[in-house]
Amino acid sequence: MHESDGVWSDAGEFDPDAVVWVRGVDYVAGWRAAKDAAAELEKALTAAGVDAAGASVSAAARADGAGVVRLVWPVETVRTVARLLEDAGELKRAG
C-alpha cells in the first residue's frame, strides 16, 4: 500500500474510486466531518497523555463522499493507544 497517495488498495492495486469524483456527491461534507473527527482524536490523545510526536492524521473522503481519517502512527504511539483501550475495556468489564 502506498500511504502517501491514497490511490492504492490494501492489496497494492490501483483503486480508481480513490481518484474519480462523481457529480452530485458532497465530498466536502465528508472531508469536513473527517477533519473534525481527526481534530477530536488528536485532542483526546493529548488529554490522555499520548505522545503523538511523529504521528500523522489526515482527513479525506471516499468515492461515496463519506469521510475517512487516515492514521500513520509510530509503533510506540500505536502500542500506547492499544494499552489505553485495553485498560478502558478492563474498567468497563469491572463495572
Side-chain angles (χ1 to χ4, degrees):
M1 181 171 175
H2 302 275
E3 312 249 34
S4 61
D5 55 28
V7 299
W8 301 91
S9 71
D10 289 337
E13 299 171 358
F14 178 73
D15 181 4
D17 288 337
V19 294
V20 177
W21 286 17
V22 177
R23 184 183 312 266
V25 175
D26 188 358
Y27 296 100
V28 174
W31 172 83
R32 189 174 295 122
K35 185 172 169 33
D36 291 346
E40 290 173 27
L41 176 61
E42 287 181 316
K43 183 178 177 183
L45 289 172
T46 300
V50 175
D51 179 11
S56 173
V57 180
S58 62
R62 295 189 317 205
D64 64 359
V68 293
V69 177
R70 291 190 175 94
L71 309 172
V72 180
W73 290 349
V75 170
E76 191 53 42
T77 301
V78 172
R79 289 185 172 139
T80 300
V81 171
R83 282 191 298 273
L84 286 170
L85 293 172
E86 288 171 356
D87 292 348
E90 288 175 16
L91 287 172
K92 185 176 180 179
R93 284 188 295 277

